[in-house]
Amino acid sequence: MTRSYRRVSMLFGRFCSIVLVTFGFAQAALAQALDMREGVTEVSQRVQSLHHLSLGVCIVVGIVVFGAMFYTMYSHRRSRHPTPAKFHESTPVEIIWTIIPTLILVGMAIPATITLIDIEDNSDPDLTVLVTASQWKWHYQYVEADIGFFSNLSTPQDAINNLVDKDENYILEVDNPLVIPTNQKVRFLMTSGDVIHSWWVPDFAVKQDAIPGFINEAWTRVDVPGIYRGQCTELCGMNHAYMPVVVEVLPEEEFLTWIEDQRVAAALAGEQAIADRSRTWTMEELMPIGEEVYIAQCATCHLPDGVGQGIRYPALAGSEIVNGPVEAHIERVLNGVVDTEMQAWAPQLSDRDIAAVITYERNSFGNDTGDIVQPLAVFESR
Amino acid sequence: MIAHADTIPKQRHPLIAFILRWLLTTNHKEIGTLYLCLAFLLFFIGGAMAMVVRLELFQPGLQFTQPDFYNQMVTLHGLIMVFGAVMPAFVGLANWLVPLMIGAPDMALPRLNNFSFWILPFAFILLLSSMFMEGGAPNFGWTFYAPLSTTYGPPSTDYFILGVHLMGVSSVLGAINVMVTILNMRAPGMTLFRMPLFVWTWLITAFLLIMAMPVLAGAVTMMLTDRHFGTSFFEAAGGGDPVLFQHVFWFFGHPEVYIMILPGFGIASQIIPTFARKKLFGYHSMVYATVAIALLSFIVWGHHMFTSGMPLAAELFFMYATMLIAVPTGVKVFNWVATLWRGSITFETPMLFALGFVIMFTIGGFSGLMLALVPADFQYHDTFFVVAHFHYVLYPGAIFGTMAAVYYWLPKWSGRMYDERLGKIHFWTATIAVNLTFFPMHFSGLAGMPRRVVDYSIAFADFNIVSSIGAGLLGLTQILFLYIIVKALTSGEKVTDAQVWEGAEGLEWTLPSPAPLHSFHTPPEIEPDEAHAATDKA
């Protein structure tokens, strides 16, 4: 049943393309750009077929209804048809145009129901990833492998502010993409640490809200290796537009190697952290690292020059906390402020990065405390 | 005017007398005018915010606004257009037209009428003043989902909450007034099934308002107590449920969508028969279809929440219920086409707007049907496809509907004719602009552009340029509309004929033009109507 629908809907799809092209979008390549994305999963392709089916039905009904309208507007205008007819009621006609649309709707509801039942089948995953959203980043936790990391926007602020050119992945690029294997059913568990976000990858046809206090489920199975990009689709505050989702799909063996690499990297990072806090850092070492971290993590709210944006995103230049006791400053950065966009950075950044960014903040934007914060101090405050 | 002069002492300064007259008026025509003027003013303010949004979206990157201010503009644009432009405009039309159409001397509750209007300016002062507060205006979208609007909302959210409360009170009082007027003040012989379709659609709208607005009041009250009094209705950390907010909001929100379209259906059903010179086809089925749409509107709210983690059974229920709405809506469209069929059609400006309404609203209806299919909705949801959809129903529906009504009844209200040539130019530029603005949004949405974003991938740049140019043109057409109205009122050709339009039917066309301030002191005679004889007997 679905198959014959698919054949019909493909015909409709081709027909739509022709209509759209004749509407002035003269290039065939562009006609494809007007379609819903086909995507790379069986689900996304079935969803696209459904889109073609419903679009085709709408176009056919539209041609009939608008055709009748334009015909009557042309032939029954006063100059051609000076005496109006008198009829104004017909029960049989009303019944006919109630029943026919109902039947068409049933014809659309059947494939939609079949597809939906398959989409909602979250059972028997090969791999589970816990996706935790927060303003404005994603955290991916591989439940079985016990590794996890944050995924932040990596487009430079200068590109957003039009100071440098934008490349093709503008605001759709991250530092650490989610990596999943091909040909495996990957289940996503979605939740949020603050407001509601929504995780969307158009090429998988997966869109699921990440809601604080809830865990939602979704799944995908991708056959084609590659990098797939999407965005947060639920308004989640100031930087809603700057919360991309990037998924890298690797062949199974490469994925296993990648997992192993992550484990090794985590172990190395642990050793590095011990090394970092067992020595004393100089201002010259910390400042460049601090600036880099500040621009990547803090500047979207507090702005690159630390002037802030009103009361919700306070200025760091001349701030009481930044110019006050170091301990309070470390505490603020580590734990954030509950129920505001100022999040806890303890789980996100290393001792070295936090020490560097605090040092940077205390010695920039006109702040001149001269304080050098050591990674050890951050470690002890955790 | 003359009757009111008696109540105001003559020695008052003319300005004070003028202010008092409009402040204290209980006349349905004057209050109708007040509503329409306020709606027009707010339409310009909300439109200016849309211009800011489209200006920022003209190119990728940040050009004119910062993200937080952009979100404030998106939020206020939505709130002001819904509660400030469309709803007051429809209430204004109801005030002017319902008593004239049913042969009543005034609204049933004139003082309540005055009160429900004068609440509104204060509600919008509260809402708009938030723009000048520390922390800025509400920035969480007109749907104000918790916890973005509760825990994370700016301090001005409380002003927003009080503003929404006042708008709700105003709407409920207005709706009670319309309902009581229609049910009790009809001239003898004006049975329910003889009422013009505009009166029917407003009666049904009034029921929707009375059922939906208190739910919105409940939602914002829960927000207020969550924000200040330690409750956790929507706060997961306190045992509450952020999804509950969405259920409550959309239980209001979906009927609200029909509140903004049903009177438009009524307007089209008045205008199309006039200029087709043929009776409305299927009067009874039009009424039943409207009732069906209204009833269905209360069981489809879940289709706004398909991605929120609903169980399969609920998704299927809301999908089927939503698809069903296409049936009565289709019946209405078919009836309009059948009304045109073998008529003797002319294309004066009101007719053009009414026909534009039918065609473009139907396009919005098509995308609505597509959105009902849950698997496809996963791709459309919260993208520009949705923005395209609801602007296609709201702009040609509510705005074109209101404009058609203004062109159609302005000669009756003011005794002066608008400039037909300018009216036609207005229609065609507006139609081009609407399609230029909103049609490309379908494609940017399908290509993957989320809604409510301040910035977007360069892949969506072409569509956004077209949309922004269209929006600019659309903004300009409103200035033309204002000019046409002012020109008609000040120097328009005087209308002396009561009938105004040769094909028009209804009691309002039996009154002189302009309609006197006080009409139908004695109920008009309703002629027996063959067409309704069967119903009348039953």
Side-chain angles (χ1 to χ4, degrees), chain B residues 43-261:
Chain B
F43 182 57
F44 270 95
I45 294 175
M49 290 164 175
M51 293 299 111
V52 174
V53 168
R54 282 315 323 172
L55 197 63
E56 179 56 51
L57 292 180
F58 186 68
Q59 293 269 285
L62 295 180
Q63 281 85 19
F64 301 97
T65 64
Q66 286 301 310
D68 193 49
F69 182 70
Y70 176 87
N71 289 347
Q72 294 173 29
M73 289 293 102
V74 169
T75 304
L76 290 176
H77 165 70
L79 288 169
I80 285 173
M81 287 305 193
V82 169
F83 294 105
V86 175
M87 290 172 73
F90 281 162
V91 180
L93 291 174
N95 259 292
W96 253 106
L97 296 170
V98 166
L100 297 188
M101 286 177 163
I102 61 172
D106 203 309
M107 297 292 278
L109 309 161
R111 291 206 173 92
L112 191 75
N113 204 11
N114 172 291
F115 182 56
S116 58
F117 172 76
W118 280 109
I119 291 175
L120 279 184
F122 297 96
F124 285 98
I125 289 169
L126 274 180
L127 181 63
L128 288 171
S129 66
S130 63
M131 274 199 296
F132 307 102
M133 291 173 192
E134 220 181 343
N139 55 4
F140 31 65
W142 87 276
T143 53
F144 53 103
Y145 277 13
L148 187 63
S149 63
T150 51
T151 318
Y152 293 83
S156 65
T157 306
D158 301 327
Y159 284 76
F160 153 83
I161 290 172
L162 288 175
V164 168
H165 264 308
L166 289 177
M167 291 166 209
V169 170
S170 163
S171 289
V172 169
L173 296 182
I176 289 173
N177 210 348
V178 170
M179 196 186 285
V180 174
T181 305
I182 295 174
L183 294 180
N184 292 298
M185 305 274 287
R186 298 192 310 282
M190 174 63 76
T191 58
L192 283 177
F193 275 104
R194 278 186 177 182
M195 296 193 311
L197 241 286
F198 179 76
V199 181
W200 257 115
T201 53
W202 239 111
L203 178 63
I204 295 160
T205 303
F207 274 98
L208 290 185
L209 278 166
I210 287 174
M211 289 196 270
M213 295 309 285
V215 180
L216 176 69
V220 292
T221 306
M222 286 190 270
M223 272 177 72
L224 190 72
T225 59
D226 268 12
R227 283 171 60 81
H228 297 293
F229 306 115
T231 59
S232 295
F233 290 109
F234 308 133
E235 175 68 48
D241 180 351
V243 183
L244 172 67
F245 175 87
Q246 298 181 22
H247 283 291
V248 177
F249 178 83
W250 287 114
F251 190 83
F252 144 81
H254 206 80
E256 168 68 22
V257 178
Y258 294 128
I259 288 164
M260 293 192 286
I261 193 64

Side-chain angles (χ1 to χ4, degrees), chain A residues 20-21 25 29-36 51, chain B residues 442-443 446-447 463:
Chain A
L20 296 170
V21 167
F25 295 95
L30 212 55
Q32 201 191 342
L34 302 180
D35 199 359
M36 179 188 275
H51 166 71
Chain B
H442 290 113
F443 303 128
L446 287 176
F463 296 129

Side-chain angles (χ1 to χ4, degrees), chain A residues 205-223:
Chain A
V206 171
K207 184 184 286 151
Q208 191 62 256
D209 291 357
I211 301 173
F214 282 76
I215 293 181
N216 280 335
E217 279 182 299
W219 65 273
T220 192
R221 181 196 293 274
V222 189
D223 304 329

Side-chain angles (χ1 to χ4, degrees), chain B residues 168-421:
Chain B
V169 170
S170 163
S171 289
V172 169
L173 296 182
I176 289 173
N177 210 348
V178 170
M179 196 186 285
V180 174
T181 305
I182 295 174
L183 294 180
N184 292 298
M185 305 274 287
R186 298 192 310 282
M190 174 63 76
T191 58
L192 283 177
F193 275 104
R194 278 186 177 182
M195 296 193 311
L197 241 286
F198 179 76
V199 181
W200 257 115
T201 53
W202 239 111
L203 178 63
I204 295 160
T205 303
F207 274 98
L208 290 185
L209 278 166
I210 287 174
M211 289 196 270
M213 295 309 285
V215 180
L216 176 69
V220 292
T221 306
M222 286 190 270
M223 272 177 72
L224 190 72
T225 59
D226 268 12
R227 283 171 60 81
H228 297 293
F229 306 115
T231 59
S232 295
F233 290 109
F234 308 133
E235 175 68 48
D241 180 351
V243 183
L244 172 67
F245 175 87
Q246 298 181 22
H247 283 291
V248 177
F249 178 83
W250 287 114
F251 190 83
F252 144 81
H254 206 80
E256 168 68 22
V257 178
Y258 294 128
I259 288 164
M260 293 192 286
I261 193 64
L262 294 187
F265 287 168
I267 292 163
S269 304
Q270 299 301 128
I271 292 175
I272 290 175
T274 297
F275 296 97
R277 290 167 185 77
K278 192 160 152 281
K279 254 189 166 28
L280 182 70
F281 188 86
Y283 172 90
H284 286 83
S285 77
M286 284 298 228
V287 173
Y288 298 138
T290 314
V291 173
I293 292 171
L295 291 177
L296 284 172
S297 78
F298 282 101
I299 57 163
V300 297
W301 79 90
H303 68 217
H304 298 270
M305 303 164 55
F306 283 146
T307 64
S308 69
M310 233 181 228
L312 176 64
E315 286 178 329
L316 290 175
F317 170 78
F318 285 120
M319 172 166 77
Y320 300 148
T322 305
M323 292 175 83
L324 265 186
I325 294 181
V327 175
T329 315
V331 166
K332 295 199 80 99
V333 173
F334 302 144
N335 277 320
W336 285 321
V337 177
T339 306
L340 292 169
W341 197 260
R342 295 184 51 219
S344 182
I345 307 168
T346 51
F347 298 92
E348 286 84 348
T349 308
M351 182 62 158
L352 288 176
F353 274 96
L355 293 173
F357 165 102
V358 173
I359 292 173
M360 288 187 280
F361 172 80
T362 304
I363 294 174
F366 284 148
S367 54
L369 177 60
M370 296 169 76
L371 280 157
L373 303 175
V374 184
D377 181 78
F378 290 152
Q379 291 286 55
Y380 307 136
H381 179 77
D382 265 340
T383 69
F384 261 78
F385 189 85
V386 175
V387 179
H389 158 69
F390 68 73
H391 281 97
Y392 258 94
V393 279
L394 275 175
Y395 208 104
I399 308 296
F400 269 31
T402 305
M403 284 172 175
V406 169
Y407 281 116
Y408 184 59
W409 281 290
L410 188 71
K412 175 57 64 189
W413 298 339
S414 67
R416 285 176 186 272
M417 199 50 152
Y418 62 88
D419 184 327
E420 188 63 54
R421 198 178 60 92

Side-chain angles (χ1 to χ4, degrees), chain A residues 339-354:
Chain A
D339 292 347
T340 68
E341 288 90 333
M342 181 60 192
Q343 47 205 270
W345 294 95
Q348 306 190 36
L349 297 174
S350 66
D351 295 339
R352 183 201 70 169
D353 285 353
I354 291 179

